[in-house]
Amino acid sequence: MANRTVKEAKNIHGTNPQYLVEKIIRSRIYDSKYWKEQCFALTAELLVDKAMELRFIGGVYGGNIKPTQFLCLTLKMLQIQPEKDIVVEFIKNEEFKYVRALGAFYLRLTGSALDCYKYLEPLYIDNRKLRRQNRVGHFEIVYMDEFIDELLRSDRVCDIILPRIQKRSILEENNELEPKVSVLDEDLDDEIISDEENPIEIEDESKNKTHKRSRKERSRSASMERTGYNVRSRDYNAELERYQRERERTRDVPNSSNSNRHHYYEERDRMLRERDRHGGYEREDRYIRDEYRESKRHESRDSRHDRERERERRDRRH
C-alpha cells in the first residue's frame, strides 16, 4: 500500500509515473532504509523539508545498487505527483540549490518539451557547485548549469532513462518557442561597441605586446650569444671526434718512434687545454689526465733506459 501511486495521479507519457524509474532500481528504493523511515506518508508540504536536507545528488552506487536520497525523493514525487506550481517553486528556489536540482530533475521526467525549455534554460546562469555521488560511491563536483545541460541533452541522468523530448530547432520552426537568446550575447555586443569606440587604444596595446615580445626575443638571443652554447658544443664535438681518431691511430704508442710519440703527446696536451676551456666532463678529464700521466711515466722510463744504454756503450768504448 505504501508503494502505490496515489489515485488522483495522472498517467505521464502514457504510463504510471513510478514506471519512469526502472524496475530493479525501483525495487531497490522500496527496500532502502531511507525510503521506509523518511519517505513514509510524505505529502507535498513535508517533501519540501526533506528536500531542504539534501546534501548531494546522484543515482545508485555500490555493488548491491544502493539508491541515494535524491533518487528516493524523486520517486516519492512521482508517487504523490505534486502540482505543477509546487514544482515550479522548487525550480525558482535560489536559496537551496539541491531543492532546485530536484525540481528540475522531476520536471524533466514528467514535463513536456515546452515546459522543459521554458523553465530549465533560465537555470544556465546558475553556476553554483553541486556534489554528485557516482557509481563507485565517490563524490565529484558538478556545476548547476552542467547538470541542467545534461538534463536537456543526455538520455540518462542519475541512472534514470529520461523521456525523449523534441529538439529546440523543431519547436522554433513551428513558432512554439522563441529563438534562444544567450546571456553572453550582451557581453559580446558591449565588447564590440567598446572596440569600435577605442580603436586607437587597441592598436597601442597590440604595439606594446609586439614590443615586449621583441624585447624578450632579443634578450634570449643575446643570452645565447653570451653563452655561445651552440658554437661551443659544435666545436667541442668536432674536437672530440678528431681526438678519438688520433687516439685510434696512435693506440700502439710504445712501439712507435720518438717523434710520433712526441707529436701524439702534444696533440693530447692541446686537447686537454681545449676541454678545460670548453668545460668538459670531470670524469672524462680525470681519465684523460690519468692516461696522460701514465704515458709520461712510460716515456720517462723509456728515456731512462735509453740513457742507460748510451752509458753502457760509452763504457764499452773506454
Side-chain angles (χ1 to χ4, degrees), residues 14-46:
T15 184
N16 191 326
Q18 291 194 78
Y19 291 169
L20 295 175
V21 181
E22 298 177 7
K23 183 178 180 180
I24 185 170
I25 298 178
R26 193 167 64 248
S27 61
R28 295 292 183 181
I29 294 174
Y30 293 154
D31 296 336
S32 65
K33 183 178 179 180
Y34 183 81
W35 175 267
K36 294 177 181 179
E37 294 182 357
Q38 305 296 330
C39 298
F40 180 76
L42 274 183
T43 60
E45 292 79 9
L46 297 177

PDB file of all heavy atoms in Angstrom, residues 14-46:
ATOM      1  N   GLY A  14       1.902   8.235 -20.986  1.00  0.00           N
ATOM      2  CA  GLY A  14       1.121   7.033 -21.237  1.00  0.00           C
ATOM      3  C   GLY A  14       1.347   5.904 -20.270  1.00  0.00           C
ATOM      4  O   GLY A  14       0.976   4.752 -20.596  1.00  0.00           O
ATOM      5  N   THR A  15       1.919   6.148 -19.109  1.00  0.00           N
ATOM      6  CA  THR A  15       2.188   5.070 -18.166  1.00  0.00           C
ATOM      7  C   THR A  15       2.116   5.603 -16.743  1.00  0.00           C
ATOM      8  O   THR A  15       2.000   6.818 -16.510  1.00  0.00           O
ATOM      9  CB  THR A  15       3.562   4.451 -18.421  1.00  0.00           C
ATOM     10  OG1 THR A  15       3.754   3.342 -17.530  1.00  0.00           O
ATOM     11  CG2 THR A  15       4.667   5.449 -18.202  1.00  0.00           C
ATOM     12  N   ASN A  16       2.191   4.695 -15.789  1.00  0.00           N
ATOM     13  CA  ASN A  16       2.220   5.066 -14.379  1.00  0.00           C
ATOM     14  C   ASN A  16       3.478   5.896 -14.112  1.00  0.00           C
ATOM     15  O   ASN A  16       4.569   5.555 -14.573  1.00  0.00           O
ATOM     16  CB  ASN A  16       2.234   3.794 -13.528  1.00  0.00           C
ATOM     17  CG  ASN A  16       2.006   4.076 -12.061  1.00  0.00           C
ATOM     18  OD1 ASN A  16       2.420   5.106 -11.533  1.00  0.00           O
ATOM     19  ND2 ASN A  16       1.345   3.152 -11.383  1.00  0.00           N
ATOM     20  N   PRO A  17       3.373   6.996 -13.362  1.00  0.00           N
ATOM     21  CA  PRO A  17       4.558   7.842 -13.142  1.00  0.00           C
ATOM     22  C   PRO A  17       5.734   7.089 -12.521  1.00  0.00           C
ATOM     23  O   PRO A  17       6.895   7.364 -12.869  1.00  0.00           O
ATOM     24  CB  PRO A  17       4.036   8.937 -12.212  1.00  0.00           C
ATOM     25  CG  PRO A  17       2.590   8.991 -12.461  1.00  0.00           C
ATOM     26  CD  PRO A  17       2.162   7.594 -12.790  1.00  0.00           C
ATOM     27  N   GLN A  18       5.472   6.141 -11.617  1.00  0.00           N
ATOM     28  CA  GLN A  18       6.570   5.420 -10.976  1.00  0.00           C
ATOM     29  C   GLN A  18       7.297   4.498 -11.940  1.00  0.00           C
ATOM     30  O   GLN A  18       8.441   4.127 -11.686  1.00  0.00           O
ATOM     31  CB  GLN A  18       6.053   4.596  -9.786  1.00  0.00           C
ATOM     32  CG  GLN A  18       5.580   5.430  -8.622  1.00  0.00           C
ATOM     33  CD  GLN A  18       5.401   4.611  -7.368  1.00  0.00           C
ATOM     34  OE1 GLN A  18       6.376   4.286  -6.692  1.00  0.00           O
ATOM     35  NE2 GLN A  18       4.147   4.273  -7.068  1.00  0.00           N
ATOM     36  N   TYR A  19       6.620   4.145 -13.043  1.00  0.00           N
ATOM     37  CA  TYR A  19       7.253   3.259 -14.011  1.00  0.00           C
ATOM     38  C   TYR A  19       8.329   3.971 -14.844  1.00  0.00           C
ATOM     39  O   TYR A  19       9.020   3.320 -15.640  1.00  0.00           O
ATOM     40  CB  TYR A  19       6.206   2.650 -14.944  1.00  0.00           C
ATOM     41  CG  TYR A  19       5.284   1.667 -14.262  1.00  0.00           C
ATOM     42  CD1 TYR A  19       4.135   1.188 -14.898  1.00  0.00           C
ATOM     43  CD2 TYR A  19       5.542   1.233 -12.969  1.00  0.00           C
ATOM     44  CE1 TYR A  19       3.282   0.288 -14.268  1.00  0.00           C
ATOM     45  CE2 TYR A  19       4.687   0.344 -12.328  1.00  0.00           C
ATOM     46  CZ  TYR A  19       3.571  -0.122 -12.971  1.00  0.00           C
ATOM     47  OH  TYR A  19       2.732  -1.015 -12.341  1.00  0.00           O
ATOM     48  N   LEU A  20       8.457   5.291 -14.676  1.00  0.00           N
ATOM     49  CA  LEU A  20       9.550   6.001 -15.342  1.00  0.00           C
ATOM     50  C   LEU A  20      10.904   5.604 -14.763  1.00  0.00           C
ATOM     51  O   LEU A  20      11.940   5.809 -15.402  1.00  0.00           O
ATOM     52  CB  LEU A  20       9.352   7.520 -15.208  1.00  0.00           C
ATOM     53  CG  LEU A  20       8.121   8.098 -15.918  1.00  0.00           C
ATOM     54  CD1 LEU A  20       7.980   9.576 -15.609  1.00  0.00           C
ATOM     55  CD2 LEU A  20       8.203   7.863 -17.418  1.00  0.00           C
ATOM     56  N   VAL A  21      10.896   5.063 -13.563  1.00  0.00           N
ATOM     57  CA  VAL A  21      12.114   4.520 -12.951  1.00  0.00           C
ATOM     58  C   VAL A  21      12.143   3.028 -13.230  1.00  0.00           C
ATOM     59  O   VAL A  21      11.114   2.344 -13.095  1.00  0.00           O
ATOM     60  CB  VAL A  21      12.126   4.797 -11.424  1.00  0.00           C
ATOM     61  CG1 VAL A  21      13.395   4.256 -10.785  1.00  0.00           C
ATOM     62  CG2 VAL A  21      11.991   6.284 -11.158  1.00  0.00           C
ATOM     63  N   GLU A  22      13.279   2.513 -13.610  1.00  0.00           N
ATOM     64  CA  GLU A  22      13.387   1.101 -13.959  1.00  0.00           C
ATOM     65  C   GLU A  22      13.012   0.216 -12.774  1.00  0.00           C
ATOM     66  O   GLU A  22      13.160   0.597 -11.607  1.00  0.00           O
ATOM     67  CB  GLU A  22      14.813   0.794 -14.426  1.00  0.00           C
ATOM     68  CG  GLU A  22      15.204   1.559 -15.673  1.00  0.00           C
ATOM     69  CD  GLU A  22      16.646   1.299 -16.068  1.00  0.00           C
ATOM     70  OE1 GLU A  22      17.281   0.434 -15.449  1.00  0.00           O
ATOM     71  OE2 GLU A  22      17.126   1.973 -16.985  1.00  0.00           O
ATOM     72  N   LYS A  23      12.553  -0.985 -13.083  1.00  0.00           N
ATOM     73  CA  LYS A  23      12.001  -1.853 -12.049  1.00  0.00           C
ATOM     74  C   LYS A  23      13.035  -2.247 -11.008  1.00  0.00           C
ATOM     75  O   LYS A  23      12.755  -2.241  -9.804  1.00  0.00           O
ATOM     76  CB  LYS A  23      11.409  -3.108 -12.701  1.00  0.00           C
ATOM     77  CG  LYS A  23      10.746  -4.051 -11.702  1.00  0.00           C
ATOM     78  CD  LYS A  23      10.132  -5.253 -12.389  1.00  0.00           C
ATOM     79  CE  LYS A  23       9.470  -6.182 -11.363  1.00  0.00           C
ATOM     80  NZ  LYS A  23       8.862  -7.370 -12.012  1.00  0.00           N
ATOM     81  N   ILE A  24      14.253  -2.576 -11.440  1.00  0.00           N
ATOM     82  CA  ILE A  24      15.257  -3.022 -10.478  1.00  0.00           C
ATOM     83  C   ILE A  24      15.667  -1.879  -9.557  1.00  0.00           C
ATOM     84  O   ILE A  24      15.838  -2.084  -8.342  1.00  0.00           O
ATOM     85  CB  ILE A  24      16.481  -3.618 -11.218  1.00  0.00           C
ATOM     86  CG1 ILE A  24      17.474  -4.183 -10.203  1.00  0.00           C
ATOM     87  CG2 ILE A  24      17.125  -2.585 -12.135  1.00  0.00           C
ATOM     88  CD1 ILE A  24      18.566  -4.997 -10.850  1.00  0.00           C
ATOM     89  N   ILE A  25      15.769  -0.665 -10.098  1.00  0.00           N
ATOM     90  CA  ILE A  25      16.097   0.487  -9.251  1.00  0.00           C
ATOM     91  C   ILE A  25      14.916   0.812  -8.343  1.00  0.00           C
ATOM     92  O   ILE A  25      15.093   1.168  -7.166  1.00  0.00           O
ATOM     93  CB  ILE A  25      16.489   1.690 -10.125  1.00  0.00           C
ATOM     94  CG1 ILE A  25      17.745   1.360 -10.951  1.00  0.00           C
ATOM     95  CG2 ILE A  25      16.741   2.919  -9.274  1.00  0.00           C
ATOM     96  CD1 ILE A  25      18.180   2.467 -11.873  1.00  0.00           C
ATOM     97  N   ARG A  26      13.714   0.681  -8.879  1.00  0.00           N
ATOM     98  CA  ARG A  26      12.528   0.961  -8.071  1.00  0.00           C
ATOM     99  C   ARG A  26      12.410  -0.008  -6.893  1.00  0.00           C
ATOM    100  O   ARG A  26      12.091   0.395  -5.763  1.00  0.00           O
ATOM    101  CB  ARG A  26      11.289   0.875  -8.965  1.00  0.00           C
ATOM    102  CG  ARG A  26      10.043   1.446  -8.335  1.00  0.00           C
ATOM    103  CD  ARG A  26       8.938   1.620  -9.346  1.00  0.00           C
ATOM    104  NE  ARG A  26       8.476   0.361  -9.914  1.00  0.00           N
ATOM    105  CZ  ARG A  26       8.659  -0.011 -11.186  1.00  0.00           C
ATOM    106  NH1 ARG A  26       9.307   0.793 -12.015  1.00  0.00           N
ATOM    107  NH2 ARG A  26       8.197  -1.159 -11.635  1.00  0.00           N
ATOM    108  N   SER A  27      12.707  -1.267  -7.134  1.00  0.00           N
ATOM    109  CA  SER A  27      12.650  -2.242  -6.043  1.00  0.00           C
ATOM    110  C   SER A  27      13.743  -1.988  -5.009  1.00  0.00           C
ATOM    111  O   SER A  27      13.519  -2.174  -3.805  1.00  0.00           O
ATOM    112  CB  SER A  27      12.776  -3.662  -6.605  1.00  0.00           C
ATOM    113  OG  SER A  27      14.023  -3.818  -7.268  1.00  0.00           O
ATOM    114  N   ARG A  28      14.912  -1.544  -5.458  1.00  0.00           N
ATOM    115  CA  ARG A  28      15.977  -1.194  -4.509  1.00  0.00           C
ATOM    116  C   ARG A  28      15.579   0.001  -3.649  1.00  0.00           C
ATOM    117  O   ARG A  28      15.940   0.078  -2.465  1.00  0.00           O
ATOM    118  CB  ARG A  28      17.265  -0.894  -5.259  1.00  0.00           C
ATOM    119  CG  ARG A  28      17.864  -2.072  -6.003  1.00  0.00           C
ATOM    120  CD  ARG A  28      18.368  -3.124  -5.041  1.00  0.00           C
ATOM    121  NE  ARG A  28      19.009  -4.222  -5.768  1.00  0.00           N
ATOM    122  CZ  ARG A  28      19.527  -5.292  -5.186  1.00  0.00           C
ATOM    123  NH1 ARG A  28      19.484  -5.410  -3.869  1.00  0.00           N
ATOM    124  NH2 ARG A  28      20.080  -6.251  -5.903  1.00  0.00           N
ATOM    125  N   ILE A  29      14.865   0.944  -4.243  1.00  0.00           N
ATOM    126  CA  ILE A  29      14.411   2.098  -3.468  1.00  0.00           C
ATOM    127  C   ILE A  29      13.386   1.666  -2.421  1.00  0.00           C
ATOM    128  O   ILE A  29      13.415   2.119  -1.263  1.00  0.00           O
ATOM    129  CB  ILE A  29      13.834   3.177  -4.411  1.00  0.00           C
ATOM    130  CG1 ILE A  29      14.945   3.753  -5.299  1.00  0.00           C
ATOM    131  CG2 ILE A  29      13.176   4.299  -3.611  1.00  0.00           C
ATOM    132  CD1 ILE A  29      14.448   4.724  -6.352  1.00  0.00           C
ATOM    133  N   TYR A  30      12.475   0.775  -2.821  1.00  0.00           N
ATOM    134  CA  TYR A  30      11.477   0.302  -1.864  1.00  0.00           C
ATOM    135  C   TYR A  30      12.113  -0.433  -0.685  1.00  0.00           C
ATOM    136  O   TYR A  30      11.582  -0.391   0.440  1.00  0.00           O
ATOM    137  CB  TYR A  30      10.475  -0.627  -2.557  1.00  0.00           C
ATOM    138  CG  TYR A  30       9.595   0.057  -3.583  1.00  0.00           C
ATOM    139  CD1 TYR A  30       9.041  -0.664  -4.649  1.00  0.00           C
ATOM    140  CD2 TYR A  30       9.314   1.418  -3.494  1.00  0.00           C
ATOM    141  CE1 TYR A  30       8.231  -0.044  -5.582  1.00  0.00           C
ATOM    142  CE2 TYR A  30       8.514   2.047  -4.431  1.00  0.00           C
ATOM    143  CZ  TYR A  30       7.975   1.310  -5.476  1.00  0.00           C
ATOM    144  OH  TYR A  30       7.180   1.928  -6.410  1.00  0.00           O
ATOM    145  N   ASP A  31      13.228  -1.094  -0.914  1.00  0.00           N
ATOM    146  CA  ASP A  31      13.891  -1.853   0.152  1.00  0.00           C
ATOM    147  C   ASP A  31      14.878  -1.026   0.969  1.00  0.00           C
ATOM    148  O   ASP A  31      15.429  -1.537   1.955  1.00  0.00           O
ATOM    149  CB  ASP A  31      14.635  -3.058  -0.455  1.00  0.00           C
ATOM    150  CG  ASP A  31      13.680  -4.044  -1.104  1.00  0.00           C
ATOM    151  OD1 ASP A  31      12.498  -4.053  -0.709  1.00  0.00           O
ATOM    152  OD2 ASP A  31      14.121  -4.795  -2.002  1.00  0.00           O
ATOM    153  N   SER A  32      15.119   0.218   0.559  1.00  0.00           N
ATOM    154  CA  SER A  32      16.116   1.028   1.247  1.00  0.00           C
ATOM    155  C   SER A  32      15.581   1.530   2.581  1.00  0.00           C
ATOM    156  O   SER A  32      14.365   1.685   2.789  1.00  0.00           O
ATOM    157  CB  SER A  32      16.533   2.211   0.375  1.00  0.00           C
ATOM    158  OG  SER A  32      15.446   3.089   0.177  1.00  0.00           O
ATOM    159  N   LYS A  33      16.488   1.798   3.489  1.00  0.00           N
ATOM    160  CA  LYS A  33      16.124   2.262   4.832  1.00  0.00           C
ATOM    161  C   LYS A  33      15.575   3.682   4.789  1.00  0.00           C
ATOM    162  O   LYS A  33      14.633   4.019   5.534  1.00  0.00           O
ATOM    163  CB  LYS A  33      17.365   2.192   5.727  1.00  0.00           C
ATOM    164  CG  LYS A  33      17.119   2.578   7.168  1.00  0.00           C
ATOM    165  CD  LYS A  33      18.400   2.434   7.984  1.00  0.00           C
ATOM    166  CE  LYS A  33      18.166   2.846   9.432  1.00  0.00           C
ATOM    167  NZ  LYS A  33      19.412   2.723  10.255  1.00  0.00           N
ATOM    168  N   TYR A  34      16.135   4.526   3.936  1.00  0.00           N
ATOM    169  CA  TYR A  34      15.675   5.916   3.854  1.00  0.00           C
ATOM    170  C   TYR A  34      14.230   5.974   3.363  1.00  0.00           C
ATOM    171  O   TYR A  34      13.435   6.791   3.839  1.00  0.00           O
ATOM    172  CB  TYR A  34      16.599   6.698   2.913  1.00  0.00           C
ATOM    173  CG  TYR A  34      16.276   8.158   2.811  1.00  0.00           C
ATOM    174  CD1 TYR A  34      16.708   9.061   3.772  1.00  0.00           C
ATOM    175  CD2 TYR A  34      15.528   8.652   1.740  1.00  0.00           C
ATOM    176  CE1 TYR A  34      16.396  10.408   3.686  1.00  0.00           C
ATOM    177  CE2 TYR A  34      15.219   9.990   1.642  1.00  0.00           C
ATOM    178  CZ  TYR A  34      15.655  10.869   2.613  1.00  0.00           C
ATOM    179  OH  TYR A  34      15.347  12.208   2.519  1.00  0.00           O
ATOM    180  N   TRP A  35      13.884   5.133   2.415  1.00  0.00           N
ATOM    181  CA  TRP A  35      12.511   5.123   1.902  1.00  0.00           C
ATOM    182  C   TRP A  35      11.528   4.684   2.984  1.00  0.00           C
ATOM    183  O   TRP A  35      10.450   5.263   3.138  1.00  0.00           O
ATOM    184  CB  TRP A  35      12.427   4.210   0.690  1.00  0.00           C
ATOM    185  CG  TRP A  35      11.044   4.033   0.143  1.00  0.00           C
ATOM    186  CD1 TRP A  35      10.146   3.045   0.451  1.00  0.00           C
ATOM    187  CD2 TRP A  35      10.382   4.869  -0.804  1.00  0.00           C
ATOM    188  NE1 TRP A  35       8.981   3.202  -0.235  1.00  0.00           N
ATOM    189  CE2 TRP A  35       9.098   4.320  -1.026  1.00  0.00           C
ATOM    190  CE3 TRP A  35      10.738   6.027  -1.491  1.00  0.00           C
ATOM    191  CZ2 TRP A  35       8.183   4.888  -1.907  1.00  0.00           C
ATOM    192  CZ3 TRP A  35       9.827   6.587  -2.372  1.00  0.00           C
ATOM    193  CH2 TRP A  35       8.568   6.030  -2.568  1.00  0.00           C
ATOM    194  N   LYS A  36      11.883   3.673   3.735  1.00  0.00           N
ATOM    195  CA  LYS A  36      10.967   3.144   4.744  1.00  0.00           C
ATOM    196  C   LYS A  36      10.810   4.078   5.944  1.00  0.00           C
ATOM    197  O   LYS A  36       9.721   4.174   6.516  1.00  0.00           O
ATOM    198  CB  LYS A  36      11.462   1.778   5.218  1.00  0.00           C
ATOM    199  CG  LYS A  36      11.418   0.708   4.135  1.00  0.00           C
ATOM    200  CD  LYS A  36      11.984  -0.604   4.655  1.00  0.00           C
ATOM    201  CE  LYS A  36      11.955  -1.682   3.567  1.00  0.00           C
ATOM    202  NZ  LYS A  36      12.520  -2.977   4.027  1.00  0.00           N
ATOM    203  N   GLU A  37      11.898   4.772   6.303  1.00  0.00           N
ATOM    204  CA  GLU A  37      11.845   5.595   7.514  1.00  0.00           C
ATOM    205  C   GLU A  37      11.494   7.049   7.235  1.00  0.00           C
ATOM    206  O   GLU A  37      10.746   7.662   7.997  1.00  0.00           O
ATOM    207  CB  GLU A  37      13.191   5.523   8.248  1.00  0.00           C
ATOM    208  CG  GLU A  37      13.522   4.146   8.795  1.00  0.00           C
ATOM    209  CD  GLU A  37      14.833   4.136   9.549  1.00  0.00           C
ATOM    210  OE1 GLU A  37      15.494   5.203   9.576  1.00  0.00           O
ATOM    211  OE2 GLU A  37      15.212   3.087  10.090  1.00  0.00           O
ATOM    212  N   GLN A  38      12.075   7.620   6.168  1.00  0.00           N
ATOM    213  CA  GLN A  38      11.935   9.055   5.935  1.00  0.00           C
ATOM    214  C   GLN A  38      10.873   9.412   4.897  1.00  0.00           C
ATOM    215  O   GLN A  38      10.355  10.535   4.923  1.00  0.00           O
ATOM    216  CB  GLN A  38      13.287   9.643   5.489  1.00  0.00           C
ATOM    217  CG  GLN A  38      14.417   9.370   6.443  1.00  0.00           C
ATOM    218  CD  GLN A  38      14.226  10.024   7.801  1.00  0.00           C
ATOM    219  OE1 GLN A  38      13.592  11.077   7.903  1.00  0.00           O
ATOM    220  NE2 GLN A  38      14.759   9.414   8.840  1.00  0.00           N
ATOM    221  N   CYS A  39      10.577   8.506   3.995  1.00  0.00           N
ATOM    222  CA  CYS A  39       9.642   8.818   2.913  1.00  0.00           C
ATOM    223  C   CYS A  39       8.240   8.242   3.145  1.00  0.00           C
ATOM    224  O   CYS A  39       7.380   8.328   2.262  1.00  0.00           O
ATOM    225  CB  CYS A  39      10.175   8.294   1.579  1.00  0.00           C
ATOM    226  SG  CYS A  39      11.735   9.039   1.075  1.00  0.00           S
ATOM    227  N   PHE A  40       8.012   7.651   4.271  1.00  0.00           N
ATOM    228  CA  PHE A  40       6.690   7.063   4.538  1.00  0.00           C
ATOM    229  C   PHE A  40       5.691   8.173   4.857  1.00  0.00           C
ATOM    230  O   PHE A  40       5.951   9.053   5.677  1.00  0.00           O
ATOM    231  CB  PHE A  40       6.790   6.077   5.720  1.00  0.00           C
ATOM    232  CG  PHE A  40       5.484   5.423   6.066  1.00  0.00           C
ATOM    233  CD1 PHE A  40       4.977   4.406   5.276  1.00  0.00           C
ATOM    234  CD2 PHE A  40       4.758   5.851   7.162  1.00  0.00           C
ATOM    235  CE1 PHE A  40       3.771   3.806   5.591  1.00  0.00           C
ATOM    236  CE2 PHE A  40       3.550   5.267   7.484  1.00  0.00           C
ATOM    237  CZ  PHE A  40       3.053   4.230   6.693  1.00  0.00           C
ATOM    238  N   ALA A  41       4.547   8.114   4.174  1.00  0.00           N
ATOM    239  CA  ALA A  41       3.432   9.047   4.402  1.00  0.00           C
ATOM    240  C   ALA A  41       3.840  10.494   4.197  1.00  0.00           C
ATOM    241  O   ALA A  41       3.374  11.405   4.905  1.00  0.00           O
ATOM    242  CB  ALA A  41       2.842   8.853   5.797  1.00  0.00           C
ATOM    243  N   LEU A  42       4.718  10.742   3.220  1.00  0.00           N
ATOM    244  CA  LEU A  42       5.111  12.120   2.918  1.00  0.00           C
ATOM    245  C   LEU A  42       4.050  12.779   2.055  1.00  0.00           C
ATOM    246  O   LEU A  42       3.506  12.184   1.126  1.00  0.00           O
ATOM    247  CB  LEU A  42       6.453  12.146   2.185  1.00  0.00           C
ATOM    248  CG  LEU A  42       7.731  12.152   3.022  1.00  0.00           C
ATOM    249  CD1 LEU A  42       8.940  12.254   2.114  1.00  0.00           C
ATOM    250  CD2 LEU A  42       7.734  13.296   4.023  1.00  0.00           C
ATOM    251  N   THR A  43       3.793  14.034   2.324  1.00  0.00           N
ATOM    252  CA  THR A  43       2.923  14.848   1.482  1.00  0.00           C
ATOM    253  C   THR A  43       3.780  15.886   0.753  1.00  0.00           C
ATOM    254  O   THR A  43       4.987  15.977   0.958  1.00  0.00           O
ATOM    255  CB  THR A  43       1.859  15.545   2.346  1.00  0.00           C
ATOM    256  OG1 THR A  43       2.515  16.392   3.304  1.00  0.00           O
ATOM    257  CG2 THR A  43       0.990  14.519   3.060  1.00  0.00           C
ATOM    258  N   ALA A  44       3.133  16.676  -0.077  1.00  0.00           N
ATOM    259  CA  ALA A  44       3.864  17.693  -0.839  1.00  0.00           C
ATOM    260  C   ALA A  44       4.475  18.734   0.075  1.00  0.00           C
ATOM    261  O   ALA A  44       5.561  19.258  -0.197  1.00  0.00           O
ATOM    262  CB  ALA A  44       2.931  18.348  -1.850  1.00  0.00           C
ATOM    263  N   GLU A  45       3.796  19.046   1.198  1.00  0.00           N
ATOM    264  CA  GLU A  45       4.341  20.040   2.127  1.00  0.00           C
ATOM    265  C   GLU A  45       5.530  19.488   2.901  1.00  0.00           C
ATOM    266  O   GLU A  45       6.535  20.172   3.095  1.00  0.00           O
ATOM    267  CB  GLU A  45       3.250  20.510   3.100  1.00  0.00           C
ATOM    268  CG  GLU A  45       2.136  21.314   2.466  1.00  0.00           C
ATOM    269  CD  GLU A  45       1.120  20.444   1.741  1.00  0.00           C
ATOM    270  OE1 GLU A  45       1.211  19.201   1.880  1.00  0.00           O
ATOM    271  OE2 GLU A  45       0.267  20.985   1.022  1.00  0.00           O
ATOM    272  N   LEU A  46       5.411  18.247   3.347  1.00  0.00           N
ATOM    273  CA  LEU A  46       6.522  17.642   4.094  1.00  0.00           C
ATOM    274  C   LEU A  46       7.701  17.304   3.189  1.00  0.00           C
ATOM    275  O   LEU A  46       8.838  17.220   3.648  1.00  0.00           O
ATOM    276  CB  LEU A  46       6.031  16.375   4.804  1.00  0.00           C
ATOM    277  CG  LEU A  46       4.938  16.583   5.863  1.00  0.00           C
ATOM    278  CD1 LEU A  46       4.490  15.252   6.429  1.00  0.00           C
ATOM    279  CD2 LEU A  46       5.438  17.491   6.971  1.00  0.00           C
TER     280      LEU A  46
END
